[in-house]
């Protein structure tokens, strides 16, 4: 395998999407060496805009993709700078995210502990601007290395260039332009635990830990996630299926006046608030619902699950009906968090 990539025709993607939806791609390209991308796009993939697949944990295949699928399988981790309290760590896009978090912690590097156990790859992290337990990955990113299809070259993008927002980035907004190949992170030797997310301090207290180090914060996050979220290795799912909706402050306040237990968080500016999609869906009675093999997790109302042989179209149909009932009851529109392939949301 000297080319740096491998081509597989008529590839089964069932195990390459965490929903476990059975779909096939006309061509799967596995790229082991990202230096091969210019020649790959000048030859085999010339004129095509392939679908780039990470861990498959943030997409829903509503049907067989009709375009080539490309996966970056490079998996190196390097410490690029290590001076005093400041460290820059580079990881290839194909490194499994949770393995990377644990690897940094085992090397005494802090900053990613709240993001433990998120399914997916390092390459997907900036695309989705993954976040959990009070930390969004954008705050830890030094730069993103990405292949730009139009120029045929690898570019380094600063956090500003990445235009991060809640579960959003320049990469997500323009998926045909970029292929993320590696990410550099700013980490520290000194822990600065972020413990304000509801439940995190309680979990640490239950573990009998008063002044946690970064590994202990990760352990608490892992315990909460295992309890609250279904494991994709056990039941197909893609984490939160909907984003928490950001709505005008007047609507948020009117809803909270009527429903005092509705969780509300700061929005994207002074005139908006973020509401809990899980709460809205739960109140519409969907938690634990099941139609054939498509369902809503019994553990968390925001997570759609595949009980076995659900098709992507069935899951998408269920998601649309959940969103319609939330809109009807609360006047709030929900938007899917995962990318929907071969299907349209609205
Ligand atoms: N809730 C319910 N019913 C449920 C679950 C939750 O009413 O079945 C209510 C509770 O009031 C709870 C609130 O929703 O306090 C918030 O729940 P949770 O703490 O689980 O957070 P979330 O807003 O539902 C977000 C992220 C998760 C992330 C957690 C923790 C989004 C779309 N989701 O969920 O991220 O793990 O916070 O930080 O922002 C993901 O993106 O795939 C994901 C799992």
């Amino acid at each position: 395998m000297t080319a740096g990539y491998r081509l597989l025709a008529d590839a089964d993607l069932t195990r390459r999407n965490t929903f476990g939806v059975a779909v096939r791609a006309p061509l799967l390209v596995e790229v082991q060496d990202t230096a091969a991308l210019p020649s790959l796009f000048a030859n085999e993939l010339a004129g095509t805009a392939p679908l780039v697949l990470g861990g498959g944990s943030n997409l829903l295949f509503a049907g067989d993709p009709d375009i080539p699928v490309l996966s970056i399988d490079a998996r190196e981790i390097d410490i690029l700078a290590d001076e005093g309290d400041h460290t820059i760590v580079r990881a290839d896009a194909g490194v499994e995210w949770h393995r990377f978090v644990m690897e940094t912690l085992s090397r005494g590097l802090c900053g990613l502990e709240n993001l433990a156990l998120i399914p997916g790859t390092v390459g997907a992290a900036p695309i989705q601007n993954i976040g959990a337990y009070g930390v969004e990955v954008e705050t830890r990113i030094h730069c993103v290395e990405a292949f730009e299809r139009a120029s045929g070259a690898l570019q380094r993008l600063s956090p500003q260039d990445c235009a991060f927002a809640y579960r959003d980035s320049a990469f997500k907004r323009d998926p045909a332009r970029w292929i993320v190949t590696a990410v550099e992170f700013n980490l520290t030797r000194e822990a600065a635990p972020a413990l304000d997310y509801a439940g995190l301090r309680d979990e640490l207290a239950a573990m009998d830990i008063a002044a946690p180090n970064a590994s202990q914060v990760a352990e608490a996050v892992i315990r909460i996630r295992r309890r609250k979220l279904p494991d994709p290795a056990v039941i197909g799912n893609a984490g939160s299926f909907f984003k928490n909706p950001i709505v005008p402050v007047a609507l948020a306040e009117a809803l909270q006046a009527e429903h005092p237990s509705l969780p509300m968080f700061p929005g994207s500016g002074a005139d908006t608030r973020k509401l809990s999609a899980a709460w809205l869906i739960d109140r519409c009675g969907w938690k634990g619902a099941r139609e054939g093999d498509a369902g809503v997790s019994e553990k968390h109302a925001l997570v759609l699950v595949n009980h076995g042989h659900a098709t992507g179209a069935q899951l998408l149909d269920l998601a649309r009906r959940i969103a319609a009932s939330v809109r009807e009851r609360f006047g709030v529109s929900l938007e899917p968090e995962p990318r929907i392939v071969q299907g349209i949301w609205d």
Side-chain angles (χ1 to χ4, degrees):
M1 211 271 315
T2 47
Y5 56 87
R6 202 155 75 107
L7 306 174
L8 295 125
D10 187 29
D12 180 5
L13 301 180
T14 313
R15 296 173 69 87
R16 283 186 169 262
N17 72 101
T18 60
F19 261 124
V21 167
V23 287
R24 302 189 81 83
L27 179 69
L28 172 63
V29 187
E30 293 176 342
V31 179
Q32 282 82 16
D33 180 1
T34 52
L37 285 170
S39 107
L40 181 61
F41 277 90
N43 297 292
E44 280 91 341
L45 293 182
T48 67
L51 169 73
V52 182
L53 197 59
S57 58
N58 198 51
L59 51 77
L60 174 63
F61 284 111
D64 287 323
D66 56 7
I67 51 174
V69 172
L70 181 145
S71 126
I72 302 288
D73 288 357
R75 294 196 179 94
E76 293 277 314
I77 299 174
D78 293 305
I79 296 187
L80 300 185
D82 197 355
E83 288 156 29
D85 192 33
H86 180 67
T87 309
I88 296 179
V89 184
R90 178 187 195 279
D92 283 330
V95 175
E96 193 223 334
W97 176 260
H98 180 64
R99 193 201 124 212
F100 177 60
V101 172
M102 298 315 275
E103 177 82 25
T104 58
L105 290 169
S106 75
R107 295 190 195 194
L109 302 172
C110 310
L112 302 178
E113 53 276 8
N114 294 51
L115 304 176
L117 213 63
I118 295 182
T121 57
V122 164
I127 298 173
Q128 181 65 2
N129 188 15
I130 57 171
Y133 301 99
V135 173
E136 287 184 331
V137 78
E138 65 172 292
T139 59
R140 309 296 192 253
I141 287 180
H142 176 65
C143 81
V144 174
E145 184 193 280
F147 176 75
E148 188 181 25
R149 289 190 45 245
S151 63
L154 286 173
Q155 312 279 4
R156 284 166 64 83
L157 288 89
S158 70
Q160 288 71 29
D161 297 334
C162 298
F164 291 118
Y166 167 58
R167 295 294 193 275
D168 203 9
S169 69
F171 312 107
K172 192 168 173 183
R173 286 189 282 268
D174 197 355
R177 180 170 175 192
W178 301 106
I179 297 174
V180 174
T181 52
V183 184
E184 293 177 17
F185 297 87
N186 278 315
L187 302 179
T188 59
R189 293 268 167 205
E190 195 76 36
L195 304 178
D196 287 340
Y197 195 89
L200 199 44
R201 283 180 209 275
D202 296 343
E203 194 67 33
L204 286 157
M207 292 161 69
D208 235 356
I209 295 166
N213 62 32
S215 293
Q216 290 167 325
V217 173
E219 190 51 39
V221 166
I222 290 168
R223 285 167 56 130
I224 299 174
R225 289 188 75 99
R226 288 223 165 100
R227 203 168 54 236
K228 281 197 174 178
L229 294 167
D231 179 355
V234 177
I235 185 163
N237 75 84
S240 300
F241 193 86
F242 297 100
K243 293 192 212 181
N244 285 326
I246 295 175
V247 302
V249 72
L251 174 59
E253 284 174 356
L255 284 169
Q256 213 185 35
E258 205 180 326
H259 310 279
S261 64
L262 168 63
M264 194 162 97
F265 308 95
S268 43
D271 50 355
T272 61
R273 296 287 180 273
K274 195 194 275 179
L275 303 177
S276 162
W279 189 97
L280 298 168
I281 295 167
D282 205 343
R283 288 312 171 284
C284 290
W286 287 102
K287 192 168 177 174
R290 179 170 177 172
E291 292 172 5
D293 274 350
V296 178
S297 171
E298 289 170 354
K299 287 185 159 184
H300 203 297
L302 203 43
V303 182
L304 261 57
V305 290
N306 177 3
H307 287 281
H309 300 283
T311 64
Q314 288 166 336
L315 287 158
L316 187 57
D317 184 56
L318 176 61
R320 283 209 187 94
R321 278 178 298 119
I322 293 170
S325 74
V326 167
R327 197 177 308 115
E328 195 174 313
R329 172 133 180 227
F330 296 108
V332 174
S333 295
L334 296 181
E335 276 187 29
E337 188 186 304
R339 178 167 177 194
I340 294 168
V341 180
Q342 297 294 122
I344 299 166
W345 178 247
D346 45 25

